[in-house]
Amino acid sequence: MRLPSLPLRTAFSLALLLALPCAAAAGPREDYDAFRAGLTEQASGPTGMYAIQDVAVIAPGASAHLSAGADAAALRWSPGAGGANDVRVVFRDGRATLYAPDIKQPVDLLKAADQKKALPGGLSVRATPYENSVKAWLYNPALVKQRFKGLSFFPYDPKGVIDAKFARKNVPKAVSHLDSRNHTGTMYWIGDVELPLQGKTYTLRAFNKSNDWNKIDHLLLFFTDKTSKKTSYGGGRSLEAHFPAGQPPQTLSLNFNTLYSFLCAHSDYYNCPVNLTTYVPVELKFGEKYPPGR
């Protein structure tokens, strides 16, 4: 299975997008246990959801910088290249190049391990693709102790493992969406899932960030349901199903115990879709619940 990472593989750029591979699990219950552990680790890690201090969107040919001499907790991205003593990220020719006084050789963050680089003083910078730009993420691990109150999950329920039918679209259709930060993005409608729930069958659109079936190796479903705004995040939750690239099966086993909240449940810095969810008029008491303290 795969778990959401930071930002999610679809990151709603959807910021929905890098995946955290997990060790092969023996079954749905083991998937659920790995899902909880992996999501908690990603939330509470030094470059996790609760460590985000600031984010900048950098267009091609543009730059952002962190001013030299500022206290670590006060650092925020400013537009422009800044000065020679500033930490700078320049996005040009497909490279997100990091310059810093204490880093001898400039680093292309998009090719660095995990697309990130540690800075002196405990901070870290990561770059991820975002539409035609890049997002520069600034992480401060000291923030985790202040913010992170743990994650909550519904108990594992074998009824959450559901066989569904998938009908692929031979030509994925572009769907423009608005996100939670008032940006527009594009996802691709790659097919429909027929989902049997509590005696009824619901048809849901399945999405991917790519429109190339040679590369598509997973589908994404975006839900709201009768738990939304009550015991789960009101903005929506996501479910992933993975398969060999270009070979989606006609029957999918969906493990709703691995439903996870849109990342906006944890940080306002993410870009989450506001018009791609499907409302299902049942209680989906599976997966991640609304996070404590949010």
Side-chain angles (χ1 to χ4, degrees):
M1 69 173 289
R2 292 182 185 266
L3 295 177
S5 80
L6 306 166
L8 268 187
R9 182 169 187 168
T10 58
F12 306 129
S13 301
L14 284 172
L16 273 175
L17 315 152
L18 302 169
L20 173 66
C22 295
R29 176 56 196 253
E30 290 76 12
D31 276 351
Y32 170 72
D33 292 337
F35 161 77
R36 287 190 307 158
L39 190 58
T40 300
E41 179 182 351
Q42 286 296 307
S44 60
T47 55
M49 291 184 280
Y50 288 84
I52 302 170
Q53 183 158 300
D54 197 23
V55 176
V57 177
I58 307 175
S63 307
H65 69 276
L66 304 170
S67 298
D71 180 75
L75 283 173
R76 299 292 186 274
W77 292 110
S78 297
N85 292 323
D86 295 333
V87 173
R88 297 170 288 152
V89 175
V90 180
F91 183 43
R92 183 176 292 116
D93 299 327
R95 298 188 295 271
T97 306
L98 173 70
Y99 300 87
D102 296 302
I103 298 176
K104 293 182 179 179
Q105 294 293 330
V107 176
D108 180 1
L109 291 169
L110 296 178
K111 294 183 178 179
D114 295 326
Q115 297 179 311
K116 67 183 179 183
K117 179 69 176 179
L119 301 175
L123 303 184
S124 296
V125 174
R126 183 198 296 265
T128 57
Y130 175 65
E131 301 299 334
N132 296 320
S133 305
V134 295
K135 296 182 85 170
W137 304 75
L138 177 65
Y139 297 97
N140 184 348
L143 295 176
V144 176
K145 293 182 179 179
Q146 302 172 24
R147 298 171 171 174
F148 186 60
K149 309 300 181 184
L151 301 181
S152 295
F153 301 89
F154 290 101
Y156 176 80
D157 187 342
K159 293 179 181 178
V161 182
I162 300 171
D163 287 335
K165 294 181 180 179
F166 178 61
R168 63 177 272 178
K169 295 181 76 68
N170 289 330
V171 180
K173 181 178 179 180
V175 177
S176 178
H177 67 85
L178 181 69
D179 69 33
S180 54
R181 293 174 67 85
N182 279 328
H183 295 153
T184 57
T186 300
M187 292 288 287
Y188 291 94
W189 175 18
I190 63 171
D192 294 308
V193 172
E194 290 187 6
L195 180 68
L197 285 173
Q198 300 182 15
K200 293 186 178 181
T201 298
Y202 300 93
T203 300
L204 298 95
R205 289 185 175 187
F207 294 96
N208 194 277
K209 195 61 182 173
S210 173
N211 65 348
D212 182 353
W213 270 112
N214 292 319
K215 298 178 181 178
I216 296 172
D217 61 359
H218 69 288
L219 60 80
L220 290 151
L221 301 176
F222 305 130
F223 294 93
T224 56
D225 65 279
K226 286 189 174 182
T227 70
S228 302
K229 297 184 180 180
K230 298 176 182 177
T231 52
S232 69
Y233 180 54
R237 289 183 293 166
S238 305
L239 186 68
E240 300 183 20
H242 291 255
F243 43 79
Q247 302 177 46
Q250 293 182 341
T251 300
L252 297 166
S253 180
L254 300 177
N255 188 355
F256 276 73
N257 293 286
T258 61
L259 268 173
Y260 57 88
S261 303
F262 286 179
L263 299 186
C264 295
H266 303 285
S267 174
D268 294 334
Y269 285 115
Y270 291 109
N271 297 70
C272 302
V274 297
N275 62 340
L276 296 182
T277 58
T278 298
Y279 175 68
V280 180
V282 299
E283 287 190 320
L284 296 174
K285 293 184 176 180
F286 311 109
E288 187 182 2
K289 298 175 71 174
Y290 197 81
R294 287 285 292 175

